Amino acid sequence: MCGIIGVFNHERAAELAALGMFAEQHRGQESCGMAVSDGKVFTLRKKMGLVKQVFPPERLETFKGKIAIGHVRYPTKGSATDYNSQPHTVDSLYGATYALASNGDVVNYFEVKEELEKKGVYFKSQNDGELILKYIIYQIQNEGMGIVDAIKAMMKRVKGAFSTVLATPDKMYMVRDPYAIRPMVWGKTSDGTVVVASESCALDILGVENRLEVPPAGIIQVSERDIKMFDNDPNDYRFFKEDKHCIFELIYFSRPDSFHFNENVYEVRKKIGAELAKKDDIIPDVVVPVPDSSNFMAVGYANEKKCYFSMGLIRNHYVGRTFIKPEQTIRDESVSQKFSTLPNFFTGKKVVLIDDSIVRGTTIKKIVNMIKKAGAAEVHLRIGSPAVKYPCYYGIDTPNQTELIANQKSIEEIRDFAGADSLRYIELDDLLKCVESKDKYCHACFSGNYPIK
Amino acid sequence: MCGIIGVFNHERAAELAALGMFAEQHRGQESCGMAVSDGKVFTLRKKMGLVKQVFPPERLETFKGKIAIGHVRYPTKGSATDYNSQPHTVDSLYGATYALASNGDVVNYFEVKEELEKKGVYFKSQNDGELILKYIIYQIQNEGMGIVDAIKAMMKRVKGAFSTVLATPDKMYMVRDPYAIRPMVWGKTSDGTVVVASESCALDILGVENRLEVPPAGIIQVSERDIKMFDNDPNDYRFFKEDKHCIFELIYFSRPDSFHFNENVYEVRKKIGAELAKKDDIIPDVVVPVPDSSNFMAVGYANEKKCYFSMGLIRNHYVGRTFIKPEQTIRDESVSQKFSTLPNFFTGKKVVLIDDSIVRGTTIKKIVNMIKKAGAAEVHLRIGSPAVKYPCYYGIDTPNQTELIANQKSIEEIRDFAGADSLRYIELDDLLKCVESKDKYCHACFSGNYPIK
Amino acid sequence: MCGIIGVFNHERAAELAALGMFAEQHRGQESCGMAVSDGKVFTLRKKMGLVKQVFPPERLETFKGKIAIGHVRYPTKGSATDYNSQPHTVDSLYGATYALASNGDVVNYFEVKEELEKKGVYFKSQNDGELILKYIIYQIQNEGMGIVDAIKAMMKRVKGAFSTVLATPDKMYMVRDPYAIRPMVWGKTSDGTVVVASESCALDILGVENRLEVPPAGIIQVSERDIKMFDNDPNDYRFFKEDKHCIFELIYFSRPDSFHFNENVYEVRKKIGAELAKKDDIIPDVVVPVPDSSNFMAVGYANEKKCYFSMGLIRNHYVGRTFIKPEQTIRDESVSQKFSTLPNFFTGKKVVLIDDSIVRGTTIKKIVNMIKKAGAAEVHLRIGSPAVKYPCYYGIDTPNQTELIANQKSIEEIRDFAGADSLRYIELDDLLKCVESKDKYCHACFSGNYPIK
Amino acid sequence: MCGIIGVFNHERAAELAALGMFAEQHRGQESCGMAVSDGKVFTLRKKMGLVKQVFPPERLETFKGKIAIGHVRYPTKGSATDYNSQPHTVDSLYGATYALASNGDVVNYFEVKEELEKKGVYFKSQNDGELILKYIIYQIQNEGMGIVDAIKAMMKRVKGAFSTVLATPDKMYMVRDPYAIRPMVWGKTSDGTVVVASESCALDILGVENRLEVPPAGIIQVSERDIKMFDNDPNDYRFFKEDKHCIFELIYFSRPDSFHFNENVYEVRKKIGAELAKKDDIIPDVVVPVPDSSNFMAVGYANEKKCYFSMGLIRNHYVGRTFIKPEQTIRDESVSQKFSTLPNFFTGKKVVLIDDSIVRGTTIKKIVNMIKKAGAAEVHLRIGSPAVKYPCYYGIDTPNQTELIANQKSIEEIRDFAGADSLRYIELDDLLKCVESKDKYCHACFSGNYPIK
């Protein structure tokens, strides 16, 4: 998971892009980067660290230019280098005249990369954004294509999820894969600046009034003159397109104040909580979320059930690396550093504990244990997503299938493993009731039903 | 506001101290420091930055020793240097054999400092912790006092709030001012390690089972042999002592999962919300807190009134320095970086907005404005503390009196300034109903009734 | 003045290049850089600092590849940035496949740069090496030329001095301007590694046995298969070529153990001293050089005259920035930091002081004064080069004409300014007696006779 | 070997001290440090690096105060830390009120250190300067001595060589061991600033006119009021004092422009050369020094013999760490990085090669080999010191006895090892002819005759 931003036609594009990246910081804290065009070439800076560390105000001031694209990157194993960060640029005799940032995952990455490498193309990273960029540039430079045709050619060849912003020194292109898997919204500020982002919360902080989805397989070109949408050939089967948005964005990844796929994220979460409540005949003393992603689910549950909601778990936001080596036995502190229980809160209570999902099961086990040790009489675990049984190939860093607890154990076994008194996942059908168009979502991680092979 | 920690008699004292400092990070993010005794002398490290940045695991490993004291420091203007950080040590021919960390504020700082400077004592910082330490050491070295007598002498001379931990290479002393203004709790882990901290959440993460208050004017000496409490002379009027805890710790500073002054912080906040609700005949569509400090007040309000609670404001936790220069006009982004409104949430709603306090009034004005712009029909502002009319001299960084809006304006004027439809503060009497012993608190910032002249 | 190095076909090319750069460190201490080919693309590192600082062993180990080119850069005003350092590379879809380092100065730099910029070529530096590289690459990419033809095209268009090494991932090209102004030698080690350098002392340290001059207007291509010399069209007047070596290299710049233009540098300097002595009827008590560049001139003078030679001035080699601000009056320490007089050495002596040249005259004035203050009875100044009256446009950083003291004052006036008892420059004719082929040198700085307009 | 400096009573004491340290840089390049008194306490900075790196002008400006002491440190194995650098200070309640820098070596270091450690004194370094300082302070603080008596007490207890400068916030003390082994000179500038240094070249650059030796066992106190010399009790056998200067300072360590022990260093070296020449019946083609320490010996030799002197070996001054790993076989580059031979210089020549000393013999072997490979017909090695057979315990970092080649091999065996055609050391008697008072020198490294057991 990552976040992208693009700002077109603002005197202080770099500052706006940084502000947008900051709003998307929750989508990636490992590294971030920005490329700014001065009208001729791009200046690039990308580095390990948070947006406010990598782009302090005195640094931003040196990035002169009216077009800026940016990226925040999620930590993934074995790739924590400046090179693997985004954006990517391609340099030439004429300077760095292309820059690209992408969110998603390319399914046929190695196949396409090898094809290009055989033609001599050189890769500096193990990153799919670089692949997409170099594929496009190769078509332009070697096949004589125009940039839009080159993007179309890329779309035919590169399979997977990509919400991508590509910039030249005077134009900006928004590009989205045919299933529109990862989120991507854009809009205009009152002074005419075009902004594209992964999440609408980044548009909001920049003052964009009307947000629009980039359509599946969409190519939108922004120039000083106009904004143009390019249609792919409707008769070409390779451009079959269909909304298959990642439903996990609504459940977990996105900020609750974002508006994706025509949904208010927090509203969907409240509905999920309400759906869970409807199936439950339990009368809890209190409904408690695992903060912060499950907060609205718990509110929704409590409102539906007319029972008490409270935040019994406190989250420490100054997280980061773990202090103490594994042999340290005082406390299993990887969880206790992140969460703590309110004192004298749980004693003797029948608790409904809401979490958004269970992946490996190790964290929820520790949380349940922590609540039990804090004196809870019963802990009834309610999960705001169906059981995660299949890995994601479209941009979410899931473990391999055998590490997914729901792939290996029955619900009763998971309940037992977690130490909960009862456990219920939301049913996929009930989950789909919480969104407007149930056909427009990818839920392969629950159903195994992948839109792309 | 700052936080202290002391760990006595653990093979990995530095790691435990770091963990405790991490739990108290909310009390100070500017700088932090630690002094560790190897049995002979202290090694000191203090630096600008968060605990996890200043003390990464590889650094902690080099701090060998069984006694560690630590400190996290709140940013205060004009003093952001390593020197002003704590702990402080005093070096000599025999190495650094004293280390001290303190939370609070010395009222007669300049007077006592000048007195010592006249005697030749040298100060490296403008920090009251150094004053306390050097006053004590001066008594030991020049007046031939034992350490406990020297601490008592300090207590007679130094006025103000101090929750202080002092360590020698083989002993640790917990020292608290006669009014016990700032919080200070201690306890033992199951393996016999003694821990003292500003907040109980730091004891919790270290596995301390039974937490105890350090009494007002208390001096507790911890050695390998025993733990000893030293009583001050009951006939000496200078040791008049009386609990006058800072009530603002309960309202705002402390983590909700801390247990101070015999109170569950979150419970007090819920009661405050309930008290506010009882006086209100308004029927809101929704009760919304200014996150995170007012969350429990809003829950308490909603529960009391049986109306809807929801988090309509989202807080971005990746805060830090401001990006864009003041002339930037797109958005007043100092607030919009920190808070955002849920989309389509406030539209047409009658909102009760709960905040813990109003100091200058500038932030709440922007938040009310943000909610109004998001479509709220009415915003009724409810404040979980009485009007702040007087500055604090005991460790809270309040602006001077003329900047306190409640000192300058009537409630109606403040309501008008904030743009709210109505405004109510909790009454001091009602606030005191929320705690067990109403006489045990300092509420000078509301009442002007200062325990120390 | 700068130094270049190229190493072809050695498993540890980067280490050899660093060693060669170290031997040429006297040609430039401001910054240095290296580009190493792994067979496909170049890795580049260039930075302010000395060779041993920028390329410590642990860094060199990471530069894998069999071709390496390097550069040391002389400090020139207003350009002390990593960008202005060399080598330069040009990047593309295929990686960085060209790297170039050059010593010299392009006379029509701004004209050619503007021509390329109009065609869209982008420049990252204000450095002539980048101009030469981009001119060549432009011909290859836009005019469809082969690399050798592109180099020839560059030679027709770019005027001035350039001793240049250009590398592709599998070939190395040595290129020298038609007047062979700056030095450039190459050779092979016993194990077949080809090395090219500015000075033979760099070849020596790498174990090259037979050193060869790169001819004027020469293009030598080194590949794994063979070494090939490309002749320019003899009928094309633009390739008129003629040895016009910079005679100042022999007088001052080069290391005395270098062998340039078929001359032993130290031998030429000794002969200069002897020529000066022949014209002198003075009988000095001692002959003293301004160290280190004039040492051999003084030895030559003393041997010719059979009089005493001694180093009466000591040079501090730990030079660098000046410590003390100009207002400091104890000593004019910019010279006294660099040179000091032997105690009790000069007292009452008639001294012949040898220096290689006088540019502005300010330093020699201070040295003469220092020797007089040390008690010398007479100081007779002898200069190993004719009066410098004209600026250099081919790679030496001379001040503009009005700052050249010999352009503004008569010899008698200069003597008076310097405070010497007598002053003699070597005559140009006598200087030319010290080299083998008097026609093969540029002496425009003395004669105003520029080979290139 | 190290260098010290002390500056008393100058508004810009730190700048002067830095300038003096810079003049003494040849005595130590590993680290340097300075302590400056503002009248109350010392500010200390010490760090790995050269003087100009550690004390750039902008840093010096922050060191306000009228007394400054400084130190440059020679690299010795296993101790390259900031802690082991000098000066040392002792801190207390009253700030850092003592600072000390010392050159020399304490013979009974471990014995005295242990004695102090038993009394609780804490040591931060493995450095004899700290021992001297803490011994003195201990006497002051625990035995109630005045500072001069404490210094005397130190002199009775601490054996070895020490040229030491000790400062309090308003006084400076120059202290020298009873044998005056290491050099130490002082004097006054025309504006009344008192300067003390290891070498007179540091006094010269600061404008000191009359230099004086600090006498053996001397204690000189400098205050704003006066300069006072303290005599030790002439009847106390522990103060037996006698000049036993290190003769190696004249041969090798000191800068040739220094004036030590009433001798011009360069003059002594010239005389050594002349003495060597007198015993030689060889008629060389050329006399060549191993630069730079042997330059004057070679000049003296050539002048005496009326034969040709020339610098046939060139020294690269940009030395530092070795680049290439030992397995590298192209060249034994540890020597070839430092020295190179003039091309076509040695061919067929009978060379007298002068070096100042032979310690292990490995370097001279490589130099002789280098000269032979350069074509020399004969290399006759002449050494300006007698055979080094015994280690130094007074401040020179010699290897242990078995590594001293002259301790293990006969002269003929050494000649054979070095590959020279003949080898002669100067005789000790002849060496002593080169100085004024032959009894005033320590020559234990040649004779085994140690002044201190």
Side-chain angles (χ1 to χ4, degrees), chain C residues 214-342:
Chain C
V214 176
I219 301 171
I220 301 174
Q221 172 190 279
V222 188
S223 69
E224 275 216 42
R225 209 153 33 113
D226 56 14
I227 299 174
K228 236 175 172 164
M229 166 89 72
F230 291 92
D231 274 335
N232 287 304
D233 180 350
N235 298 321
D236 190 329
Y237 73 96
R238 285 166 304 192
F239 291 124
F240 173 79
K241 61 194 181 195
E242 186 187 9
D243 279 316
K244 286 290 176 197
H245 307 311
C246 170
I247 202 164
F248 235 100
E249 288 279 351
L250 299 176
I251 295 170
Y252 171 69
F253 292 132
S254 296
R255 250 172 62 173
D257 58 330
S258 278
F259 179 90
H260 280 328
F261 321 137
N262 268 333
E263 302 281 357
N264 292 313
V265 172
Y266 73 96
E267 283 278 20
V268 174
R269 293 185 188 168
K270 274 189 175 173
K271 286 182 201 164
I272 287 171
E275 283 301 320
L276 280 168
K278 283 178 201 165
K279 293 283 171 81
D280 250 2
D281 47 12
I282 202 168
I283 310 290
D285 294 324
V286 70
V287 180
V288 168
V290 176
D292 287 335
S293 51
S294 312
N295 286 354
F296 285 96
M297 293 180 186
V299 165
Y301 188 102
N303 285 352
E304 174 68 27
K305 264 224 137 77
K306 310 283 180 217
C307 62
Y308 281 103
F309 161 90
S310 200
M311 284 152 292
L313 290 167
I314 298 300
R315 182 176 180 164
N316 188 333
H317 292 286
Y318 304 99
V319 283
R321 286 201 286 168
T322 298
F323 272 122
I324 297 185
K325 297 295 181 48
E327 72 268 22
Q328 172 69 20
T329 52
I330 285 184
R331 283 261 171 141
D332 184 327
E333 47 84 47
S334 63
V335 159
S336 69
Q337 268 186 45
K338 200 165 169 187
F339 299 110
S340 53
T341 55
L342 289 183

Side-chain angles (χ1 to χ4, degrees), chain B residues 184-375:
Chain B
M184 190 175 200
V185 282
W186 70 283
K188 257 182 165 175
T189 65
S190 55
D191 63 359
T193 305
V194 176
V195 184
V196 60
S198 290
E199 290 196 27
S200 67
C201 63
L203 301 189
D204 291 346
I205 204 171
L206 297 177
V208 171
E209 306 280 312
N210 297 304
R211 28 182 150 58
L212 293 161
E213 291 277 321
V214 176
I219 301 172
I220 301 174
Q221 172 190 280
V222 188
S223 68
E224 276 217 41
R225 209 152 35 112
D226 56 15
I227 298 173
K228 235 174 170 164
M229 167 88 75
F230 290 92
D231 274 335
N232 288 303
D233 180 350
N235 300 323
D236 190 330
Y237 74 97
R238 287 165 303 190
F239 291 124
F240 174 80
K241 61 196 182 192
E242 187 186 9
D243 279 316
K244 284 293 175 194
H245 308 311
C246 171
I247 203 162
F248 234 101
E249 288 280 351
L250 299 176
I251 295 170
Y252 171 69
F253 294 131
S254 296
R255 252 173 60 173
D257 57 330
S258 279
F259 180 90
H260 282 327
F261 322 136
N262 268 333
E263 301 282 356
N264 293 312
V265 173
Y266 74 95
E267 283 277 22
V268 174
R269 294 186 187 167
K270 275 189 172 173
K271 286 182 201 163
I272 288 169
E275 284 301 319
L276 280 167
K278 284 176 199 164
K279 294 284 172 80
D280 252 1
D281 47 13
I282 203 167
I283 310 290
D285 294 323
V286 71
V287 180
V288 168
V290 176
D292 288 338
S293 51
S294 313
N295 287 354
F296 284 97
M297 293 179 186
V299 166
Y301 188 105
N303 286 350
E304 175 68 27
K305 264 224 135 80
K306 310 283 178 215
C307 61
Y308 281 103
F309 161 90
S310 201
M311 283 152 293
L313 289 168
I314 297 299
R315 181 176 181 165
N316 187 334
H317 292 286
Y318 305 100
V319 283
R321 286 202 285 169
T322 298
F323 273 121
I324 297 183
K325 298 294 180 50
E327 73 267 23
Q328 173 67 21
T329 52
I330 285 182
R331 282 266 172 137
D332 185 324
E333 46 83 46
S334 63
V335 159
S336 69
Q337 269 186 44
K338 201 166 168 186
F339 299 111
S340 53
T341 55
L342 288 183
N344 309 317
F345 176 90
F346 286 106
T347 323
K349 283 196 180 131
K350 182 192 281 191
V351 178
V352 162
L353 178 68
I354 312 271
D355 202 357
D356 53 76
S357 57
I358 298 179
V359 180
R360 284 184 183 79
T362 45
T363 299
I364 195 65
K365 177 191 174 80
K366 289 168 188 168
I367 292 173
V368 171
N369 184 253
M370 184 184 276
I371 292 175
K372 286 266 173 137
K373 278 186 66 177

